[in-house]
Amino acid sequence: MKKTLALILTALLAVSLTIAASAGAYNPAGGCKTAVNVCKADPAAVVKDGIIGEGEYREIEVNRDPDATDLMLSYLNAAQYTQAEDFLQNVHFYTSWDEIHGLNFAIVSTLLEDPWCETPLPAPNAGDGFLFQFGSMYRVCASEENKSLVNRGIGINTTTGEILIGDYDENGYTGSLDLQAGRDYTVAVNGRTVTYEFSYPLASVVKAENIVDGAPTEGYTVWIDLTATGGSVGREQENGAITYAISLGDSGYMATWNQFTEPSHAKAVFTNDPVVEAAPDTTTDADIDQPSSGGDSETPGTEDTTGPVDTDNGQSETTETKGTEPVAPKENNVPTDTTSSETAKESGKAPATADPIVTAALVSGVSALGFTFCKKRK
């Protein structure tokens, strides 16, 4: 029986290699479980210079174990799934907020190849197809449903040096956004490492009644999807593009919302806690009662394991609750059809693409849902 199945799958593979595979995605945890505190930055520290400076952001802690991560791995063609697994180790997500720049994001990713993109700046509302070469995407949602509040992608033309931005006319609560390179976003390339910085004005992602004295109310919650892509071949989806991507949130680039068992965005909770954590007070009663015996000694503090604060804007009150049934996804970034992280559910390792069942499923364009089904039926 096994021999017969292998022969059938081999024949299927041979036929499917003659057709283009569909983009797909896989989340080993079955859905995003990450929640993050968006901490307060000093506006003077937030500079769009392609450098992650001190006091500018706090890094989002993620699970990089390909067996258990709740980050989403995306691929344009079957061969890029293993590249996405390698890329998983190379992507770092950051966030903060301040009264001047708004909701701040940064992504640092080291590509698996030399960055290359010759796609020109797209027209307004024309999309972000340049992400098929390399770039980053920033989606913010007002609820746990799959409906964007704002969404932008950024990249860079490596021939001209022009910074690229793409959108689908999703502009948040203000109804329009005037984002400018150098002020609101930038992209810097250093060898194979690319640093992206991006900010949304607070008024575009926070309801007006929840902004007091220029600051969001403590505990205000939004849901986010952050993506870094690589591949550096072709032009947009043409000329043999071979894109791979890592996303924090299940509505990242090249994914369909219902591909996952429990799809979710990453939960982002605004807090007035500063980006730079204050050193803990280690003074004890003994220290007060007894004179010092010499020079000052520094006692390292323990790691802060406090989860995101509760929300107060009528949204979810815990870090692992689900909202209403997700609506059908908008297909604007699906060409063919990112602190504390909660413990990801055990779901087993994604099968290697050398596995004949998975190879046949991937190359023949089966969705990630089918990909997971094949894995479970082994």
Side-chain angles (χ1 to χ4, degrees):
M1 178 63 185
K2 290 183 179 179
K3 183 177 180 180
T4 301
L5 179 59
L7 290 172
I8 293 173
L9 291 172
T10 300
L12 175 60
L13 174 60
V15 173
S16 63
L17 283 173
T18 64
I19 62 174
S22 299
Y26 178 70
N27 186 325
C32 181
K33 315 300 178 187
T34 298
V36 55
N37 280 334
V38 182
C39 298
K40 174 75 168 64
D42 180 351
V46 180
V47 182
K48 302 299 186 295
D49 56 2
I51 299 171
I52 307 302
E54 183 178 356
E56 196 169 8
Y57 310 96
R58 186 178 292 188
E59 182 169 0
I60 300 173
E61 296 180 8
V62 298
N63 184 341
R64 300 185 191 282
D65 181 355
D67 293 357
T69 185
D70 69 331
L71 297 181
M72 185 179 74
L73 290 71
S74 300
Y75 47 89
L76 182 56
N77 291 297
Q80 282 79 67
Y81 182 80
T82 55
Q83 290 181 293
E85 280 197 321
D86 293 338
F87 195 44
L88 173 64
Q89 311 305 319
N90 299 355
V91 181
H92 298 264
F93 301 100
Y94 303 81
T95 190
S96 68
W97 74 270
D98 70 83
E99 300 92 332
I100 303 301
H101 304 90
L103 175 56
N104 309 312
F105 297 112
I107 300 176
V108 179
S109 64
T110 300
L111 305 188
L112 307 180
E113 70 290 320
D114 295 338
W116 181 89
C117 176
E118 289 189 348
T119 304
L121 179 69
N125 310 333
D128 49 11
F130 53 84
L131 293 182
F132 286 111
Q133 280 62 71
F134 72 94
S136 60
M137 189 200 79
Y138 308 85
R139 182 193 303 276
V140 179
C141 301
S143 73
E144 293 176 285
E145 294 184 338
N146 187 36
K147 184 178 181 180
S148 296
L149 184 61
V150 289
N151 182 23
R152 293 292 188 276
I154 59 173
I156 189 170
N157 185 311
T158 54
T159 299
T160 65
E162 181 179 31
I163 297 177
L164 310 175
I165 186 166
D167 74 284
Y168 297 92
D169 199 26
E170 296 168 336
N171 301 307
Y173 293 118
T174 55
S176 64
L177 285 174
D178 178 23
L179 303 178
Q180 299 179 19
R183 184 192 70 183
D184 303 299
Y185 59 93
T186 196
V187 181
V189 177
N190 182 9
R192 290 187 172 183
T193 298
V194 188
T195 301
Y196 310 91
E197 296 187 89
F198 189 93
S199 295
Y200 284 119
L202 283 177
S204 68
V205 295
V206 178
K207 292 180 180 179
E209 59 266 31
N210 291 100
I211 300 177
V212 180
D213 296 329
T217 54
E218 180 83 8
Y220 189 88
T221 300
V222 294
W223 281 262
I224 61 176
D225 303 278
L226 310 177
T227 300
T229 70
S232 303
V233 174
R235 180 164 170 171
E236 296 192 340
Q237 198 180 350
E238 302 171 353
N239 303 323
I242 53 171
T243 315
Y244 54 86
I246 296 295
S247 297
L248 173 66
D250 296 326
S251 198
Y253 208 67
M254 297 193 299
T256 300
W257 181 258
N258 61 7
Q259 286 179 317
F260 308 109
T261 305
E262 297 181 75
S264 180
H265 314 286
K267 183 179 180 181
V269 182
F270 286 93
T271 173
N272 291 317
D273 293 343
V275 165
V276 179
E277 298 180 88
D281 183 2
T282 59
T283 303
T284 66
D285 292 340
D287 294 328
I288 298 174
D289 295 338
Q290 300 179 14
S292 172
S293 59
D296 295 333
S297 62
E298 295 182 3
T299 304
T302 58
E303 182 179 355
D304 180 10
T305 58
T306 304
V309 297
D310 290 339
T311 64
D312 64 357
N313 61 323
Q315 306 290 0
S316 172
E317 295 183 354
T318 67
T319 60
E320 197 173 354
T321 57
K322 299 292 176 184
T324 58
E325 186 70 16
V327 297
K330 298 177 67 174
E331 304 233 346
N332 52 24
N333 71 330
V334 184
T336 57
D337 282 333
T338 221
T339 314
S340 65
S341 178
E342 298 176 323
T343 304
K345 297 188 305 181
E346 294 184 7
S347 61
K349 177 175 172 55
T353 51
D355 186 306
I357 294 179
V358 177
T359 304
L362 285 174
V363 179
S364 60
V366 177
S367 71
L369 180 61
F371 175 42
T372 305
F373 178 74
C374 289
K375 173 185 177 234
K376 290 180 178 178
R377 287 290 300 273
K378 281 183 60 181

